[in-house]
Amino acid sequence: FGQIQARFFIPPGGGANFFIGSWVEYISGKVFFTTCSDLNMLKKLKSAERLFLLIKKQFPLNVSSVSKGKIFNEMQRLVNDDPESWLSAISIWKNLLELDAKEDKLSQRDANPLKRKVEENDIINPKKLKTKQMQELQESRECQLEKQTDEATVEQGDFLTNREKSQEAFQNDAVKAVAAPNQKDLTFRVSCRCSGSVAKTFTAQEVGRVIGIALMKQFGWKADLRNPNLEIFIHLNDIYSVVGIPVFRVPLASRAYIKTAGLRSTIAWAMASLAEIKAGAFVLDPMCGLGTILLEAAKEWPDVYYVGADVSDSQLLGACDNLKAAGLQDKIELLKVSVIELPLPSESVDIIISDIPFGKKKKYSCRLPFFVRVLRVGGTIVLLLSEDHHRRLQDCERGGIPWNSKGSHTDEPGIEKCLNPGEKTDLSDTVSSSAETSGQGDLDKMPPFGSLVPVDRYGVSLGRTGAFICRYRKSPSSAASRLAAVSRFQSSQGSCTALKAVVSGSR
Amino acid sequence: MKLLTHNLPSSHVQGVGPRGFPLHLQATEVRINPMEFNPDSLACMIPKVEWAVLLEAADTLHLVEVPKGLTEGYDHDEKFLRQMHHVLLEEDVLEGTLQCPESGHLFPISRRIPNMLLSDEETET
């Protein structure tokens, strides 16, 4: 496998696509791909929530007019039709773990693994990856077995200095896998997810039970609900039936280097990636909270000047902790300052990335113009916007404001004023290097929002809610003409698309 | 707070405007953080530096070996770059204050973080 170049890409309409060095399929939030990579590479996947080794992927179960008993038979066939595929998948899984265990011994281990905060990240719609290794089976196995252990050490670098429990759990996996030479001695547990029409007919427990029993009968394995060797994951929905083995105990989205995550790390990484950060850039997060976005960015693009700002002491303390835990406290400067009073010279910042706080308060989207001032012309802004915020901004872009008339004041008069395109062309002259405040009368002085040109936008899922990652560029031209431009966003459905891709390991 | 960061902020205390820059630095606790030397990204940042501000701050911290300004071909001058690297990125003020030159208002720096929040009365209208 050697050096492979990876680019993360989120298509409009949702989901998170990942480009890898061979044919990739993207279906409804899951990305299926084939790869030769070892676990170290795979661990570095930043945009995926979880990773599975694929055992089976096939047409969905037909639950419509058939009896329950018949459908159970169908499920059993997932196990019984082709037991070889199960055994070879498990064999690959064991190989992966053994290789990784060997590399582990050569790496440095933290005596005190970080305590991981259990997140409510076990969401309804996680994005997952599956490693599909079918014909590539033989080749990939050879790839792995031929791999030199010293190659592995070179790549370890500082990624592994903050080891945590997952690595130890991992070691245990490997030990168990190796220690069960006869596949008959494997213990297993089945986790099941059902959605769509399948979910209306069966509970996840029922399905789990059927599969579990089939596995016991077919392979002689024993079920162990607490601490199994092998986890089997099944997802049944209207589009496919998928069976896989989770590759890592801890979801990929749990980063070893982030102690307390605010924003979901996959989204944070995606935003940083879209911002096209280059060496020597000045990157600002004016509402950094716990610093998740800056952490993801600094981890991947270290030769950059990062500044985070927040008004909250507790958030900044948390951010400090996170930075220390990740060893990045020297890379990211923190300021206790309000976004509306950013004490930065105009046009000094190259890139702004921010997660705009959700919630009904319009005041947050109202603060956007303040960012714009400090951004240089040609600079990029990447924002995470709730559906509400996004809709408001879209309305502004199209030039039609569904607010009250100019004279009246709603709870946030600033919104109308700052986002109303035609009005404020005289403002640009009044902007000086000092910042403005949020007093009511001062909203008149806000710089025009209109110099931001939308570039693209991507829908993402945050579990229970959705949001948009929106990218803008600051243009030098006047406000009004820009806002009159029609929105160029594509709208595509997240249907099945085959994509060719190129994978890269991150640094 | 690094000296590179100090180079940026201006005070927004009422009535001060552009004269609110630079903020005078006083440091009671400073630490040196060794950082990886990266000449390329440094060369990007250097043109943006306000030299007078940097020199004053470096002086406050009693730094020696501080370049006095940009010279031609600076981006290939390794000695220059290394000195700048140290001054801008490796000197870290843990505790201290930033003072507005016009109004005298003091912004504290605590645990590396400058607190530039103002109470409502003092912000500019």
Side-chain angles (χ1 to χ4, degrees):
Chain A
F1 78 102
Q3 279 299 78
I4 14 181
Q5 269 313 359
R7 270 199 83 238
F8 171 78
F9 170 71
I10 319 174
N17 251 358
F18 194 88
F19 283 73
I20 302 207
S22 38
W23 283 98
V24 176
E25 269 184 85
Y26 166 61
I27 308 174
S28 177
K30 287 189 177 50
V31 179
F32 298 89
F33 65 96
T34 317
T35 180
C36 237
S37 309
D38 74 332
L39 287 183
N40 264 333
M41 279 307 221
L42 294 172
K43 269 180 221 159
K44 293 176 190 171
L45 289 172
K46 299 279 184 145
S47 56
E49 294 271 341
R50 304 191 64 185
L51 182 66
F52 297 86
L53 182 65
L54 187 74
I55 302 179
K56 282 217 175 299
K57 170 170 149 288
Q58 56 191 52
F59 289 112
L61 291 180
N62 178 3
V63 296
S64 44
S65 51
V66 191
S67 76
K68 238 178 152 172
K70 284 217 161 142
I71 304 175
F72 279 140
N73 285 341
E74 279 292 312
M75 291 183 195
Q76 286 160 345
R77 289 177 61 186
L78 278 173
V79 176
N80 298 330
D81 266 3
D82 184 14
E84 254 317 300
S85 64
W86 285 79
L87 294 175
S88 45
I90 287 165
S91 184
I92 295 174
W93 169 74
K94 277 171 108 182
N95 283 343
L96 281 174
L97 288 182
E98 281 165 19
L99 255 171
D100 200 69
K102 281 194 204 117
E103 292 158 13
D104 247 23
K105 292 199 181 100
L106 301 167
S107 72
Q108 272 193 326
R109 292 224 281 162
D110 213 338
N112 298 316
L114 287 174
K115 273 187 84 156
R116 173 137 306 288
K117 175 180 165 189
V118 174
E119 298 160 0
E120 334 70 60
N121 256 350
D122 290 8
I123 357 85
I124 305 179
N125 291 315
K127 296 176 189 57
K128 298 169 197 139
L129 288 179
K130 297 206 182 222
T131 314
K132 182 173 168 176
Q133 295 182 320
M134 304 226 300
Q135 283 91 2
E136 283 72 17
L137 248 187
Q138 293 309 316
E139 296 145 48
S140 62
R141 232 189 282 181
E142 280 153 41
C143 284
Q144 288 153 19
L145 296 175
E146 278 169 341
K147 188 169 135 72
Q148 299 302 316
T149 349
D150 27 326
E151 233 184 303
T153 31
V154 169
E155 284 179 280
Q156 307 279 328
D158 67 347
F159 179 78
L160 301 167
T161 48
N162 284 329
R163 282 293 184 165
E164 49 130 322
K165 280 193 185 145
S166 70
Q167 297 308 326
E168 297 191 355
F170 212 65
Q171 276 283 69
N172 294 338
D173 278 345
V175 164
K176 282 185 201 150
V178 171
N182 186 348
Q183 288 198 342
K184 278 210 186 292
D185 296 339
L186 277 179
T187 58
F188 74 96
R189 170 173 65 194
V190 178
S191 303
C192 194
R193 257 190 56 201
C194 299
S195 34
S197 24
V198 180
K200 296 193 182 114
T201 324
F202 299 100
T203 63
Q205 288 87 338
E206 283 179 295
V207 179
R209 213 176 17 246
V210 168
I211 302 288
I213 294 175
L215 287 174
M216 288 198 276
K217 284 203 182 128
Q218 176 72 237
F219 300 114
W221 301 335
K222 292 197 174 54
D224 180 344
L225 289 178
R226 271 190 299 124
N227 206 9
N229 296 131
L230 180 66
E231 282 235 45
I232 306 280
F233 177 87
I234 302 181
H235 189 185
L236 303 176
N237 63 18
D238 295 329
I239 306 176
Y240 45 57
S241 301
V242 173
V243 186
I245 305 174
V247 178
F248 303 108
R249 286 245 172 192
V250 179
L252 281 171
S254 297
R255 310 292 202 214
Y257 47 85
I258 297 187
K259 193 170 157 192
T260 311
L263 179 62
R264 184 171 296 205
S265 49
T266 46
I267 305 277
W269 186 87
M271 293 173 71
S273 188
L274 272 174
E276 296 176 314
I277 301 173
K278 302 201 169 39
F282 178 176
V283 177
L284 171 71
D285 183 348
M287 297 193 233
C288 67
L290 294 170
T292 314
I293 299 178
L294 294 172
L295 274 173
E296 288 289 331
K299 203 74 189 172
E300 181 104 15
W301 297 275
D303 300 318
V304 170
Y305 178 53
Y306 292 102
V307 175
D310 206 285
V311 292
S312 155
D313 265 333
S314 57
Q315 296 279 290
L316 283 172
L317 266 172
C320 259
D321 274 351
N322 274 344
L323 294 186
K324 276 205 195 91
L328 290 172
Q329 67 269 39
D330 297 331
K331 283 263 165 228
I332 300 174
E333 291 277 87
L334 295 176
L335 301 176
K336 183 168 172 188
V337 87
S338 166
V339 65
I340 53 183
E341 306 172 317
L342 285 171
L344 298 174
S346 298
E347 307 202 352
S348 53
V349 177
D350 296 306
I351 291 172
I352 294 179
I353 315 180
S354 200
D355 167 14
I356 306 291
F358 287 24
K360 302 253 187 308
K361 291 191 184 165
K362 297 179 199 164
K363 72 174 176 184
Y364 291 117
S365 41
C366 191
R367 284 168 188 187
L368 283 170
F370 294 109
F371 303 1
V372 180
R373 177 185 69 80
V374 300
L375 186 69
R376 69 166 170 82
V377 171
T380 304
I381 293 190
V382 178
L383 300 174
L384 185 70
L385 298 172
S386 69
E387 284 162 338
D388 267 350
H389 288 324
H390 178 247
R391 210 179 333 115
R392 272 187 221 115
L393 289 178
Q394 267 196 310
D395 291 336
C396 288
E397 284 155 22
R398 294 197 197 109
I401 315 275
W403 307 119
N404 302 331
S405 64
K406 289 182 258 178
S408 74
H409 287 275
T410 59
D411 51 332
E412 287 294 339
I415 269 282
E416 302 152 46
K417 301 224 164 113
C418 69
L419 300 177
N420 201 332
E423 281 190 307
K424 300 292 176 192
T425 40
D426 56 334
L427 280 188
S428 25
D429 311 311
T430 62
V431 175
S432 60
S433 60
S434 51
E436 327 277 15
T437 66
S438 66
Q440 286 222 341
D442 306 322
L443 292 170
D444 289 333
K445 291 203 199 137
M446 266 195 287
F449 172 69
S451 53
L452 282 193
V453 178
V455 175
D456 44 18
R457 142 203 93 160
Y458 303 104
V460 292
S461 163
L462 299 178
R464 290 210 184 86
T465 56
F468 291 96
I469 298 182
C470 302
R471 177 162 57 165
Y472 301 87
R473 203 147 279 144
K474 183 170 178 180
S475 90
S477 44
S478 76
S481 55
R482 286 293 157 189
L483 287 177
V486 175
S487 171
R488 312 168 205 156
F489 301 140
Q490 295 173 316
S491 55
S492 66
Q493 300 305 314
S495 54
C496 194
T497 346
L499 301 153
K500 197 163 76 149
V502 166
V503 166
S504 90
S506 52
R507 320 156 114 264
Chain B
M1 189 188 77
K2 299 175 199 246
L3 291 189
L4 178 58
T5 308
H6 167 253
N7 215 252
L8 304 166
S10 54
S11 165
H12 41 280
V13 171
Q14 179 172 8
V16 167
R19 290 158 302 167
F21 180 80
L23 295 166
H24 295 302
L25 174 67
Q26 279 301 316
T28 49
E29 201 182 325
V30 180
R31 183 181 64 193
I32 298 182
N33 293 323
M35 299 255 312
E36 200 185 304
F37 176 60
N38 190 305
D40 295 325
S41 66
L42 197 59
C44 286
M45 297 176 204
I46 286 175
K48 302 179 189 172
V49 167
E50 286 275 356
W51 282 92
V53 179
L54 182 66
L55 292 175
E56 189 197 312
D59 202 46
T60 313
L61 298 186
H62 308 297
L63 298 183
V64 294
E65 293 205 359
V66 182
K68 298 288 179 262
L70 275 184
T71 51
E72 210 177 288
Y74 73 87
D75 48 340
H76 302 297
D77 182 346
E78 176 153 342
K79 181 170 170 208
F80 171 86
L81 288 172
R82 284 199 179 267
Q83 286 175 337
M84 289 303 283
H85 170 81
H86 180 83
V87 172
L88 286 174
L89 301 176
E90 291 185 331
E91 295 278 341
D92 201 359
V93 178
L94 300 176
E95 303 283 332
T97 56
L98 294 169
Q99 183 170 42
C100 172
E102 194 64 21
S103 67
H105 184 99
L106 284 171
F107 300 98
I109 304 172
S110 173
R111 298 164 76 155
R112 301 185 66 230
I113 304 179
N115 179 348
M116 305 202 59
L117 286 180
L118 290 170
S119 62
D120 279 345
E121 298 133 31
E122 293 182 67
T123 51
E124 274 182 319
T125 47

